[in-house]
Amino acid sequence: MKEKILVYLDGWFTHFGISEYLQKKYDCELFGIVDFGQKSQDFFQNQDIVKFKKLWNYNTCLNNIPKSPDLDYLSSFEKKYGIDIWKLAYYDRKFYHKYNEFYKFNDNEILSIIENECKFFESLIKESKPDIYLTFYTQGHNHHLPFEICKSQNIPTLMLSPVRFGNRMIISEDPNNPDISFKENDSNYSPRKKLKTFFEEHDNYNQIKKLKSVSFESKKRQRYSAILNFFLKYKINQNYHYSNYGMTKSKILKRKIIRYYQKKKRISFIEKNFKKNLKDNCPYIYFPLHYEPETVLFRDASFYSNQLAVITNIAKSLPIEYKLFIKDHPMMNTIGWRDLSFYKYLMKLPNVELLHPSLHPNDIIKNSSLVVTIASTTGQEAAFNKKPSIVLADELYNFLPSVKRIKNIEELPNVIRESLKTVVDENDLENFIEKIEKNTFEFDIHSFTSDFSYRFGFKGPIMDANLPVNEVKKFLNDHKKTLETLADEHWKKINDLKN
């Protein structure tokens, strides 16, 4: 019997490439969900690279959105699949008034869109009857919905996800709680004597710098060429996708001009007010701000996505002799930093100080007594700098004994005091590295996606471009070795599930 595999096709053609090599090398039947922009649709109608049994275009479910939702249907859907609709809705940044500068959705509009999506994904999963579902780490509510339906129907999902440990990736139904035993060391594993060297090779801060270097942020010619092409040639279809609602070129241009001047004002404020050294002897606890809007806040830590509230609660919980030092995420520079009201609120908290973006996070961690984070890799980095940490969401590194995961914010004062006494054991780090290396593999996702962006112009206010079949074939062939490896790794996992 052929394996029936349903694949979510979106973003950067990673899973399209995986599908090509799965079909070439293994006995399987492929179905696909296409989630691409309007210009890209011609490619999927005309391509002969992958012979899908059937393709469904996600955007068709956004046609004929009802004016008011069927609450009886949504209620029965929630009960049938164990899915919280409003929690799902809050996963999407476009539904937040805070992040959507073009359109303000009302309750009925949000629920009506989700109603159509529920019917669409429920129907296609029922029709395809997949044995397995393949997707990248889910990035939005519509991307997450079929995963939840499959999960409730006991259809295994293989989710390709970064472990935020260099370029290493994992394939698992739950990347933050994978089926890995961290309890015992492998007797055949040779302990690492140079943990510092290993950590430096896989330093997440260096990965962020690399992300900037391979992105349009540092390659201005390609970046502005894509933006210019958008303003001169692209026609916005507001009805094609709900994320386009309210978008016009004049509004986008106005926003860019406003952001340009906002960024200059914010940088001036940062230079004048943020702490630029760590030379004083005050003991401190470190909290790294998350980039916003960020998937990990909406998905993994949805009840802690208000960072100002989280920081206030941490500040309330500190022992009297400690301060809370906070540093913004370096990628916030790409969108012009945060509104000044955010920083001013934090500056009014009596035991809180803001650190200048130029300070290296490893220096901050080394001089700290403890790291508290919502869901960032800083908790992992803390362990490699021999510092304990507290985390508010499920993360892969939570298996380290020096990391405390709390689910009740009222526990924070006691957990902080307990964690300050914690000593990091190198044996735990060696065990962690061993398990990561055995259960993950190398895939430079940043270079892969950047190459796709440069070639096809997927950059700008709307991520959409024409995809000539021959050029896509060349792109896939240029990345043949990488895509074959990804297909092989998925097939291994499929066989593991079967056995």
Side-chain angles (χ1 to χ4, degrees):
M1 293 283 292
K2 290 185 177 182
E3 293 293 325
K4 296 172 71 175
I5 303 174
L6 177 64
V7 188
Y8 200 99
L9 305 167
D10 73 329
W12 315 105
F13 261 61
T14 310
H15 274 82
F16 186 88
I18 292 169
S19 299
E20 179 190 12
Y21 288 98
L22 278 175
Q23 193 166 77
K24 282 181 177 180
K25 299 181 70 175
Y26 303 106
D27 192 21
C28 59
E29 196 172 73
L30 295 170
F31 300 83
I33 303 168
V34 177
D35 187 1
F36 273 82
Q38 190 171 13
K39 283 189 169 185
S40 311
Q41 294 305 320
D42 286 346
F43 168 81
F44 291 98
Q45 293 174 9
N46 300 321
Q47 67 88 23
D48 57 355
I49 302 167
V50 182
K51 294 178 172 59
F52 290 98
K53 189 79 174 176
K54 185 169 182 177
L55 287 173
W56 290 268
N57 182 356
Y58 160 73
N59 289 281
T60 59
C61 78
L62 301 177
N63 299 327
N64 303 314
I65 301 291
K67 291 184 178 179
S68 58
D70 183 345
L71 295 179
D72 289 335
Y73 168 76
L74 289 173
S75 178
S76 65
F77 184 89
E78 278 192 324
K79 293 171 184 174
K80 181 177 180 180
Y81 295 105
I83 298 172
D84 298 321
I85 298 294
W86 274 118
K87 185 180 179 184
L88 187 74
Y90 273 90
Y91 188 4
D92 198 311
R93 67 191 69 178
K94 290 295 180 180
F95 293 154
Y96 275 75
H97 290 189
K98 178 180 177 181
Y99 302 118
N100 193 335
E101 299 172 272
F102 303 106
Y103 192 82
K104 308 304 178 188
F105 288 89
N106 62 42
D107 293 2
N108 280 349
E109 288 173 318
I110 293 170
L111 292 178
S112 294
I113 290 169
I114 292 178
E115 178 189 334
N116 273 23
E117 292 171 334
C118 289
K119 291 175 178 176
F120 172 75
F121 288 120
E122 186 178 34
S123 174
L124 73 85
I125 290 170
K126 185 177 181 181
E127 182 180 346
S128 59
K129 297 182 175 64
D131 299 307
I132 202 87
Y133 174 53
L134 306 187
T135 183
F136 193 75
Y137 185 79
T138 56
Q139 301 291 308
H141 87 275
N142 58 307
H143 193 183
H144 195 66
L145 181 54
F147 160 71
E148 290 287 356
I149 296 174
C150 286
K151 185 178 178 181
S152 70
Q153 298 290 296
N154 295 317
I155 299 168
T157 294
L158 293 182
M159 194 178 290
L160 176 65
S161 309
V163 295
R164 296 189 286 179
F165 213 122
N167 290 323
R168 300 200 75 81
M169 306 288 286
I170 192 169
I171 300 171
S172 175
E173 186 157 17
D174 185 351
N176 294 327
N177 283 300
D179 185 21
I180 302 174
S181 174
F182 286 89
K183 292 180 180 178
E184 296 179 2
N185 286 330
D186 187 334
S187 58
N188 296 319
Y189 184 76
S190 300
R192 292 181 179 272
K193 299 298 183 185
K194 297 181 179 179
L195 285 172
K196 183 182 177 185
T197 303
F198 179 85
F199 172 66
E200 288 172 352
E201 291 172 356
H202 298 81
D203 185 359
N204 191 56
Y205 185 69
N206 291 332
Q207 290 298 309
I208 292 173
K209 288 197 293 184
K210 181 179 180 182
L211 175 59
K212 285 183 178 181
S213 71
V214 298
S215 74
F216 279 70
E217 300 304 330
S218 62
K219 298 197 175 183
K220 292 184 179 181
R221 185 180 66 82
Q222 292 95 329
R223 180 186 180 194
Y224 290 116
S225 173
I227 292 173
L228 185 64
N229 184 62
F230 164 78
F231 281 109
L232 294 178
K233 298 180 181 179
Y234 194 86
K235 184 178 180 181
I236 300 173
N237 183 349
Q238 293 189 18
N239 297 319
Y240 183 72
H241 194 282
Y242 64 89
S243 64
N244 294 356
Y245 288 7
M247 269 194 177
T248 64
K249 291 183 180 180
S250 60
K251 284 184 180 180
I252 292 170
L253 181 61
K254 181 181 178 181
R255 186 191 69 167
K256 286 190 173 294
I257 293 170
I258 290 171
R259 277 196 172 181
Y260 172 79
Y261 288 104
Q262 281 179 335
K263 183 175 182 178
K264 294 187 72 166
K265 187 176 180 181
R266 291 167 184 173
I267 289 173
S268 175
F269 182 86
I270 288 169
E271 290 298 326
K272 290 177 183 177
N273 294 284
F274 286 23
K275 186 179 178 71
K276 295 181 180 178
N277 63 72
L278 300 166
K279 291 181 180 179
D280 57 33
N281 295 319
C282 167
Y284 65 87
I285 289 167
Y286 174 45
F287 179 87
L289 283 165
H290 278 269
Y291 177 86
E292 284 189 74
E294 184 182 33
T295 296
V296 71
L297 281 181
F298 299 146
R299 174 189 154 150
D300 296 344
S302 59
F303 294 105
Y304 298 106
S305 59
N306 185 336
Q307 296 193 82
L308 289 178
V310 171
I311 291 166
T312 304
N313 285 320
I314 296 169
K316 291 176 184 177
S317 306
L318 297 189
I320 196 66
E321 66 272 27
Y322 284 86
K323 282 192 174 183
L324 183 64
F325 283 7
I326 295 169
K327 180 175 177 288
D328 210 343
H329 196 286
M331 289 299 288
M332 287 302 295
N333 175 55
T334 64
I335 58 171
W337 302 104
R338 299 175 202 268
D339 191 90
L340 292 184
S341 62
F342 185 98
Y343 299 130
K344 288 177 180 178
Y345 173 90
L346 294 177
M347 290 171 65
K348 290 177 182 177
L349 297 176
N351 55 347
V352 171
E353 289 198 44
L354 292 168
L355 300 177
H356 194 271
S358 62
L359 291 172
H360 196 291
N362 284 340
D363 293 332
I364 302 169
I365 295 169
K366 286 173 188 174
N367 288 284
S368 72
S369 300
L370 171 69
V371 167
V372 183
T373 179
I374 297 175
S376 80
T377 51
T378 311
Q380 178 174 284
E381 291 156 13
F384 281 87
N385 281 289
K386 308 295 178 64
K387 302 294 179 179
S389 62
I390 297 171
V391 64
L392 304 181
D394 290 334
E395 291 296 318
L396 183 62
Y397 62 82
N398 288 5
F399 293 99
L400 288 166
S402 61
V403 179
K404 304 297 181 188
R405 160 72 158 106
I406 66 168
K407 297 186 177 181
N408 182 353
I409 201 71
E410 293 182 7
E411 300 173 7
L412 202 49
N414 289 333
V415 176
I416 285 176
R417 284 159 176 79
E418 291 171 8
S419 295
L420 285 167
K421 302 173 188 175
T422 300
V423 177
V424 179
D425 188 336
E426 281 197 2
N427 290 324
D428 295 328
L429 299 178
E430 289 168 356
N431 179 36
F432 182 67
I433 292 169
E434 173 208 339
K435 297 301 191 295
I436 292 295
E437 288 192 321
K438 282 192 170 184
N439 292 277
T440 64
F441 55 93
E442 289 282 330
F443 171 42
D444 189 350
I445 183 74
H446 299 321
S447 295
F448 182 88
T449 57
S450 294
D451 187 27
F452 184 87
S453 296
Y454 294 145
R455 293 198 197 196
F456 299 104
F458 269 67
K459 181 65 182 177
I462 294 178
M463 300 288 283
D464 191 17
N466 291 318
L467 297 170
V469 173
N470 288 336
E471 290 183 29
V472 172
K473 285 181 178 178
K474 185 177 186 312
F475 170 79
L476 296 173
N477 188 60
D478 289 345
H479 292 276
K480 177 180 178 181
K481 186 176 179 181
T482 294
L483 293 168
E484 277 190 312
T485 299
L486 288 172
D488 291 341
E489 291 290 341
H490 279 82
W491 196 253
K492 285 179 193 175
K493 286 289 184 180
I494 291 171
N495 283 326
D496 287 345
L497 288 170
K498 286 170 63 178
N499 294 328

